């Protein structure tokens, strides 16, 4: 299947979904006015990927900021990944946050508490 | 405004430590510009990363809150002045940022708005986090993707009580002023 690549903008993150490698990256800022529209291609891609996923899927979330309307879409995105995991595949999430950014750290912890996926919350100097 | 008032207007803004102010139609592009200006300003002022992110977050949420609500009320308005006009002001004084917004609201929405603000103001950090988490997990969402999390998020990032006032403009329209401090 095709990879999903979306270039980042001041309001939307860089998206790099590599089906063969099982590597999913979301990086940058996610503050679009209409998040549902922006996240739709990712949901569609995941739905297709879920039928023949890689043995191991690694998800890297490197977000600098996200707005509350993205927060719901990110949850839906994790839920989709959860169904892939529940059908017997390995899925892990690396949630990155910048040193001192306790808000982003807490956000990662909150998702970890809601979603049934193994999270590693990682502190880095720069996202 | 008479031309002789321009300096007074400028002075007033300067004395109030206003670093940005805008009154007019809220558009998607406007937010991009405002963020760009305020981020540049925060670079110059060497604001620490944590505060910078909180200011950024509150700006985005307050702006988008208004943006969506203005859209919601637009069909009810004939009056072009009030149509989608709103106001945003950013102040910086003694390392403290204040983000002030002003916008028209339908009077029938005021009780709900007050209730939301008072609820948020009655909660501490931990309770706000729990409310956010439970709304994220269980709450619904409009077709535009707004999830009713905006004010909770603003309160969480501000770490201060939300200061607000709602003025009755006419029987059916109020003007909602919100002032958010990030110190």
């Amino acid at each position: 299947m095709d990879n999903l690549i979306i270039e980042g903008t001041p309001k939307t993150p860089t998206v790099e979904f590599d089906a063969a490698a099982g590597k999913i990256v979301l990086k940058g800022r996610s503050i679009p006015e209409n998040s549902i529209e922006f996240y739709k291609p990712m949901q569609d891609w995941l739905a297709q990927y879920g039928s023949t996923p890689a043995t191991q899927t690694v998800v890297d979330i490197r977000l600098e900021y996200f707005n509350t309307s993205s927060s719901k879409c990110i949850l839906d995105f994790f839920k989709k990944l959860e169904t892939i995991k529940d059908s017997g595949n390995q899925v892990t999430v690396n949630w990155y946050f910048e040193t001192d950014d306790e808000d982003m750290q807490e956000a990662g912890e909150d998702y970890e508490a809601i979603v049934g996926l193994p999270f590693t919350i990682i502190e880095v100097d720069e996202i | 405004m008479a031309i002789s008032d321009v300096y007074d207007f400028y002075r007033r803004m300067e004395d109030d430590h206003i670093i940005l102010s805008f009154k007019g139609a809220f558009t998607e592009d406007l937010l991009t510009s405002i963020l760009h200006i305020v981020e540049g300003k925060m670079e110059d002022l060497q604001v620490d990363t944590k505060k910078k992110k909180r200011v950024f977050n509150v700006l985005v949420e307050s702006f988008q809150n208004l943006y969506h609500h203005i859209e919601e009320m637009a069909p009810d308005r004939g009056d072009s002045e009030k149509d989608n006009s709103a106001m945003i002001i950013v102040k910086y004084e003694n390392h403290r940022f204040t983000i002030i917004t002003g916008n028209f609201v339908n009077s029938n929405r005021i009780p709900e708005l007050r209730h939301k603000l008072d609820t948020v103001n009655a909660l501490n950090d931990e309770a706000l986090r729990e409310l956010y988490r439970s709304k994220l997990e269980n709450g619904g969402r409009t077709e535009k993707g707004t999830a009713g999390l905006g004010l909770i998020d603003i309160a969480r990032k501000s770490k201060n009580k939300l200061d607000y006032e709602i003025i009755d403009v006419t029987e059916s329209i109020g003007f909602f002023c919100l002032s958010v401090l990030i110190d």
Side-chain angles (χ1 to χ4, degrees):
Chain A
M1 70 178 283
D2 289 342
N3 293 334
L4 179 69
I5 310 284
I6 305 171
E7 226 175 289
T9 73
K11 280 193 190 160
T12 53
T14 300
V15 176
E16 290 166 1
F17 290 9
D18 184 332
K23 184 87 178 165
I24 290 176
V25 180
L26 212 55
K27 188 177 173 196
R29 300 173 171 190
S30 182
I31 55 164
E33 274 80 12
N34 192 332
S35 306
I36 294 183
E37 195 180 279
F38 180 76
Y39 279 87
K40 174 119 193 347
M42 288 181 247
Q43 287 291 86
D44 294 346
W45 189 91
L46 282 179
Q48 207 192 334
Y49 174 75
S51 58
T52 49
T55 337
Q56 199 184 3
T57 304
V58 179
V59 184
D60 281 352
I61 307 289
R62 294 173 166 269
L63 289 175
E64 206 186 333
Y65 308 102
F66 63 91
N67 60 359
T68 56
S69 108
S70 296
S71 68
K72 278 268 182 189
C73 295
I74 295 168
L75 179 62
D76 291 342
F77 164 84
F78 284 138
K79 282 189 175 158
K80 199 75 155 191
L81 287 161
E82 194 181 0
T83 61
I84 297 175
K85 180 191 155 246
D86 290 347
S87 11
N89 305 289
Q90 220 181 54
V91 181
T92 53
V93 179
N94 297 317
W95 180 279
Y96 292 86
F97 72 96
E98 273 180 11
T99 306
D100 286 341
D101 189 354
E102 60 198 52
D103 298 329
M104 198 52 85
Q105 183 183 0
E106 282 186 3
E109 291 165 4
D110 287 346
Y111 281 117
E112 186 182 18
I114 298 173
V115 186
L117 289 171
F119 269 63
T120 311
I121 296 182
I122 305 163
E123 180 175 338
V124 286
D125 284 341
E126 205 166 311
I127 221 108
Chain B
M1 181 170 17
I3 195 150
S4 51
D5 294 335
V6 175
Y7 179 68
D8 287 343
F9 192 65
Y10 173 85
R11 203 65 257 163
R12 174 81 204 272
M13 292 195 6
E14 184 62 33
D15 294 345
D16 273 351
H17 306 275
I18 290 168
I19 59 170
L20 178 137
S21 94
F22 177 89
K23 181 247 159 217
F26 274 37
T27 62
E28 296 190 16
D29 289 343
L30 176 65
L31 176 60
T32 312
S33 309
I34 289 179
L35 291 174
H36 188 73
I37 293 167
V38 176
E39 277 194 290
K41 192 78 192 173
M42 289 196 290
E43 281 298 320
D44 294 347
L45 294 165
Q46 295 180 314
V47 177
D48 69 76
T49 312
K50 198 194 284 185
K51 192 180 286 182
K52 228 179 345 198
K53 291 198 172 205
R54 288 187 172 152
V55 169
F56 188 95
N57 258 298
V58 171
L59 267 177
V60 170
E61 287 306 323
S62 346
F63 192 98
Q64 291 181 339
N65 235 345
L66 289 194
Y67 180 79
H68 292 298
H69 288 144
I70 290 163
E71 258 190 359
E72 264 169 34
M73 56 181 310
D76 305 338
R77 325 297 291 279
D79 189 334
S80 65
E81 182 245 311
K82 290 166 195 156
D83 237 8
N84 51 25
S85 191
M87 193 173 75
I88 187 158
I89 295 169
V90 182
K91 283 172 55 166
Y92 177 76
E93 189 182 7
N94 298 328
H95 305 283
R96 293 144 55 106
F97 283 90
T98 311
I99 294 162
I100 301 164
T101 53
N103 64 293
F104 292 99
V105 289
N106 284 326
S107 296
N108 57 17
R109 279 200 58 238
I110 295 175
E112 180 205 344
L113 185 59
R114 279 191 194 280
H115 177 72
K116 269 191 190 168
L117 286 153
D118 296 340
T119 305
V120 160
N121 275 342
L123 301 175
N124 63 18
D125 278 1
E126 200 42 47
L128 279 171
R129 183 178 182 182
E130 272 167 37
L131 178 64
Y132 186 97
R133 197 192 280 183
S134 85
K135 277 211 155 204
L136 177 63
E137 195 175 0
N138 308 310
R141 167 166 62 181
T142 68
E143 57 185 47
K144 274 179 288 194
T146 56
L149 294 166
L151 284 174
I152 305 172
D153 192 54
I154 291 171
R156 286 185 72 188
K157 300 287 156 55
S158 155
K159 310 277 173 206
N160 287 290
K161 299 295 170 203
L162 305 179
D163 194 8
Y164 77 93
E165 199 166 310
I166 302 168
I167 296 152
D168 291 327
V169 179
T170 67
E171 225 168 74
S172 59
I173 293 166
F175 193 76
F176 170 47
C177 315
L178 177 67
S179 174
V180 184
L181 173 69
I182 299 135
D183 53 8

